[in-house]
Every structure is written in C-alpha cells, then in structure tokens.
Amino acid sequence: YSAMVLMLVGLPFPIWYWQLGHDFRGLALWLLGFAVYYLVVAGQYRVFLKAASREEASAVVQWWLPRLHRLAIVYGFLLALPILLVYGTAPFEFLILYFATVAVIVALNATHQSRVMSVFLRYFVASWGSCIALVPLAFPSHWPVALPLALLYAHSIYRHSKISHQFYLQHIVLEEKAGMLAAANLRAKEEAEAALQAKSQFLTTASHDLRQPLHALGFLSESIVHRNRDPALLPPLEDLRRSVRS
C-alpha cells in the first residue's frame, strides 16, 4: 500500500521539475521503478498469502523474513534516490517539500512496519538514514540547522517505532490470553456438560435398578397383607406398606 501511495504522492515532483525547465526523465524513471517495485511487492504478497495458508508458521517466517528485509532496503533507497537525481539543480523549496514528504512516509511506516522491527529498521536506515547523509549536499547553506533536525526526527521516529512494536506485542499477548481463556472456558463447559450427563445417566440407571426390587417388595407385602389371618401382624404390615410406598 505504501509503495502504491508513493507513486501518486511522487507524481507532482517530476511535473514540477519539468516546469522548472530541467530534464525530468530521471524522476520519471524513478517513478517507473517504483511502479515495478509495487508490482513485485503485490505479486510477492499474493504468493505469501498462499504459503501462509499451507505451511507452518515457523517455515513461512524463515523463508519470507530475508525477502522482506531485502524489499525494505530497496524501498528505503528508492525513497531517497530523488535527492541525488536533482542534486545541484532543484531549488530549496523543491528539496524541502520532498524531505517533508519522505518524513511523513517514514512516520507512517514506523507504525505499519514496526510490527517486525528488523524489517522497519532496514527500511528506516535505507530511507531516512540516506536522507540524513544527503542533507549537506541538498542544503549546503543550511545543513548546520537541517542536519540536527533530521537527526532529532530520526530519534523521535525510532522511539515511536519501538512504542508501536511494544503495543503490537502486548496486543498479541492479550489475544493469546483471551484465546486461552476461551479455550479453558469451553473445556470447563464441556466437562460440566459431561458430568451432568453422567449424573443423569447414573440417576436414571439407579432409579430403574431400584424400582424393580421395590415393585417386587410392594407386590409381596400386598400379598402378605391379603393372606394374613393374624390380627397382631396388621400394624407392622401396614407400616411395611407405607414404607414401600414412601
């Protein structure tokens, strides 16, 4: 996305350079190079998504991280290249605007790319590090002021990227903990349902097994009551009948 946006953001610079009466073909080739870079990144991204859906995460990281490092370095150098292409011919306002544009792009990528700090640091050194090195060439009369500002901005962006990285890691940890809690709750629910089912099955079986002898005992007590001829046995037999019903 950043490479695609830069093609649009960078378009006014060759037009402006052409209006100043300079040869703009270098900047035009630079934009064309960024278009090729964008196509490469877009194609790699599609391949990455397929690999991530089929392969183990560790294998995907081991294979793709070096590629991302190289893409980040190329991206960074491409971002700083126009400063060399217009060296000695572009006016002060042109260079100030381009440095400001690069600064904004670097700040945005400090948030997006800092999820993988090794990728962002390579991009950061290649892009803003190159801009810092080119400050004396771009601003020969103002570099004593511009260079400290560029260094201070580099320090601020680095701190911002580290904070963004830590925030991202904390977010991942919270997601993992939430997933673990959800899994634990699901297991507890399944265990409770299994225990409830086992209890119900036990009670059903027990009541069935107890009901048969109690029915037999009831039939026998009724038979004894009807056959009994001894009045003295009537009270205990009646107690037996009530106990069986209870």
Side-chain angles (χ1 to χ4, degrees), residues 83-95:
I83 301 173
L84 287 176
L85 295 177
V86 300
Y87 170 66
T89 56
F92 179 82
E93 295 81 7
F94 184 97
L95 291 169

Side-chain angles (χ1 to χ4, degrees), residues 14-96:
I15 297 175
W16 186 8
Y17 201 60
W18 169 70
Q19 290 178 344
L20 293 173
H22 299 301
D23 187 359
F24 69 97
R25 287 178 294 181
L27 290 178
L29 289 174
W30 166 73
L31 274 183
L32 181 61
F34 243 114
V36 173
Y37 176 84
Y38 168 72
L39 293 176
V40 171
V41 170
Q44 290 290 297
Y45 181 62
R46 286 193 291 268
V47 176
F48 167 78
L49 291 179
K50 292 180 181 178
S53 63
R54 296 194 308 262
E55 302 174 11
E56 293 291 333
S58 58
V60 172
V61 171
Q62 184 178 2
W63 176 255
W64 280 95
L65 192 58
R67 292 187 176 189
L68 292 177
H69 287 163
R70 291 191 291 269
L71 289 172
I73 292 172
V74 172
Y75 181 28
F77 282 131
L78 280 174
L79 198 59
L81 183 59
I83 301 173
L84 287 176
L85 295 177
V86 300
Y87 170 66
T89 56
F92 179 82
E93 295 81 7
F94 184 97
L95 291 169
I96 282 291

